[in-house]
Amino acid sequence: MASPAIPFPPAPAPRGAATTDRGSEGAAPGVPAAHGLAHAAALTAAQPDWRRITYLLRASRALDDIEESRLLPERKVLYQFSARGHDFAQLVLGQYLTDPHDGVAVYYRSRPLMLALGVGLEEAAAGPLARSGSFSEGRDIGVVFNRPGKGAPTVLPACGGVGAQYTPAAGWAQAIRYRSEVLRDSGYDRSIAVVLGGDASAATNGFWSALTIATTLHLPMLFYIEDNGFGISVPSDLQTPGGNIAANLRSFPGIAILEGDGADPCETASLAQRAVTMVREDRTPVLLRLTVPRLSGHSGQDTQAYKSAERVARERERDPLSRLHGYLVPGIMTETQWDSLAETARNDVGEAVTRALARPQPDSGRVTRYVYCETGSDGRLELQEQGGLAPEGVAFPVANAEPRPQGLRINMMTAIRRTLDVELACNPRMVVFGEDVGPKGGVHGATLGLQEKYGAARVFDTSLSEEGIIGRAVGMALAGLLPVAEIQFRKYADPAAEQLNDCGTMRWRTNNRFAAPIVVRMPGGFFKCGDPWHSQTNEVAWAHGIGWRVAVPSNAEDAVGLLRGSLRGNDPVIFFEHRAMLDSAAARRPYPGDSYVLPFGLARIVRSGSELTVVTWGAMVERCEQAAAASGVDVEVIDLRTLSPWDRTAVVTSVIKTHRCLIVHEDNLTAGFGAEIAAVLAKEAFFNLDAPIERLTMPDIPSPHSPVLLDEVVPSVGRITGVIQQLASL
Ligand SMILES: Cc1ncc(C[n+]2csc(CCOP(=O)(O)OP(=O)(O)O)c2C)c(N)n1
Ligand SMILES: [Mg+2]
């Protein structure tokens, strides 16, 4: 559709000079009166396509109407979010997101922006109907969008968790910088990251973490805040003091602040254009806060009983649709043209909904697919459309499944460092980061000297926010890099729990459209002593979580092979580095070569035997080996090496042979990974068992600090020996 020539107002100044603080409703005295004819010539080229915006606004309203009045009551749509009131400003913003490498992190109220970015009406309708062929194939809530880039802006897979959208957007922004400046891809020189969020989301950890990342690193990132005055029913002044995040950030260094009325056509267009242009040209962060009325309940179920009648009426008066009408008719279009656009949009939406309803339900036979990267019936990998290196055709040097031991034995820490070094050298898309990994080389020493060798763009310190470390890694992976994040101690992954969870489920919930293959290195377990903060293992959390591969190496050779496999793989990996193993003599091995890759899910028979099987991993391998030797029983010891996947075949085969099984782990007893192994054996080796399956683990307490207390609870060689003997006597 052609854009009618219309007057356009001057761009307001940044950093709050645009408007005065109007509070959360933003209705406002002093809104620029618009129609600044004198400036029209200078800005004509960038003015919005008002006909398209009008059409899409009517289409978005029609979608909301049909869902609320028909599809929700008929229970065809189960989770409904109206964008009424937020819609207009998003459609304007969408007009300026034109770069093929722009990355947009949206939330559940962002459907109008999706329409502006080119998502068709049928697809927009099919998502909430959970029909086949939609962007998640019925796996996710219909407004939680995603869209691979393919020459247009990428819409990062949205999350249901409020605030989860921020740090991946910061990662995308950092990846833009990396691809432009380090990989010298000029296609990224003007790209930006944009994140959308509501007023309440400005209270989340993710918001502050991303703000820190973007401002300290001066990233090209737009924070676009849609302030409707409420987070469901909680008013903005409980989310940020005074209720205006823009006002509160005016003195925050490194970010330009813009704000205004997102229901006013002229002001919105001016501010959106200004904000995007500033980020694109100046390559620095901008926060744009637009006040918008929320003209519906928070979701289809919400009656808004917590809003006064006056408040509801005031919001209705601010409806951007009527303001757009006042702005465009009759100066820009006639009443007839306005009505005809509305009618066309309504008809188009009606037909799109009919077509979406005619789509089949998703295939329930496929619901368990795409947790991990899968191999198709033709033997080829079914790659995700976007995320990681594989979809961009990056190939690795030939791998070798057999170790080729070289030189003297090295400790596990040196083995890890050397593997990172070799892979950094052969893979320019790999970046390594975390707290203290730069000049210090990591608190455990794994990255010592790597920043000096590869530069601060590739090996770098981060701000102290684990959510920021993992969320940034996700965004970078989506933009085609290989992020290798270090979490300083396993317990400190807790603040990143949401990002880790959302990363693991990404492939499944986008029906294999996206994946974020990141590698998270995570030291944990006891060392000379224990304590509740640095010594947790709890690796079972990642085996229980969806979509993660989990490595728990017990020696330097396996660490090299598994880490290299992780760095060349196509799924996210938790790489658990046991603190007691990093410099233990028992874990030392010769370096197995620069091309050695050990596949996941392949256990090692540490010692073969016929009378009893001990299944273990990590730091318990050495103790079990010693106990087996001391027990006088012919024990088979199995080191699982990886927990996800784990080698069921090796374990079941061994127990069928020995008829007895002891599982030893450092993690707590209840719901530890031993319980999973025991359950599988109870089913698959039930008739072969001559004794109950036994578990020897830490009791259900945190790791104690005193070495005396620690010795009492971590399985010792003596206690393992005792249980082996007792079990063998049954
Ligand atoms: C981490 C998290 N906590 C709580 C929720 C439940 N929840 C969904 S939306 C919402 C309010 C968000 O408000 P705001 O950010 O202002 O966006 P709006 O819906 O107003 O556009 C809440 C509490 C959630 N989805 N995620
Ligand atoms: Mg809100």
Side-chain angles (χ1 to χ4, degrees), residues 86 107-109 197-201 226-232 234 236 239 292 294 298:
H86 290 234
Y107 74 112
Y108 49 81
R109 217 178 289 289
D199 45 297
S201 76
E226 306 173 36
D227 189 341
N228 60 20
F230 290 92
I232 306 185
V234 181
S236 301
Q239 311 294 354
V292 291
R294 195 189 75 200
H298 166 73

Side-chain angles (χ1 to χ4, degrees), residues 10-18 43 46 93 96-98 102 177 189-194 214 218-223 250 252 254-259 269-289:
R15 300 191 69 83
L43 290 162
L93 173 70
Y96 300 109
L97 305 181
T98 49
D102 285 346
R177 155 112 20 104
D189 290 353
R190 286 173 48 77
S191 315
I192 66 172
V194 181
H218 314 291
L219 297 177
M221 176 164 172
L222 172 61
F223 292 77
R250 276 192 194 120
F252 206 91
I255 187 162
I257 306 295
L258 297 171
E259 60 175 320
S270 169
L271 284 166
Q273 184 203 358
R274 176 106 174 129
V276 171
T277 307
M278 284 172 73
V279 181
R280 235 185 252 303
E281 302 301 328
D282 303 344
R283 318 299 298 153
T284 53
V286 171
L287 181 140
L288 169 60
R289 166 184 175 254

Side-chain angles (χ1 to χ4, degrees), residues 5 26 31 37 41 89 187 222 235 248 255 283 304 331 364 386 395 409 426 428 456 460 469 591 610 626:
V31 171
L37 277 169
L222 172 61
N248 295 343
I255 187 162
R283 318 299 298 153
Q304 303 209 77
S364 51
Q386 187 168 344
R409 298 189 318 153
C426 74
F460 54 90
I469 292 170
Y591 180 68
S610 60
Q626 288 174 11

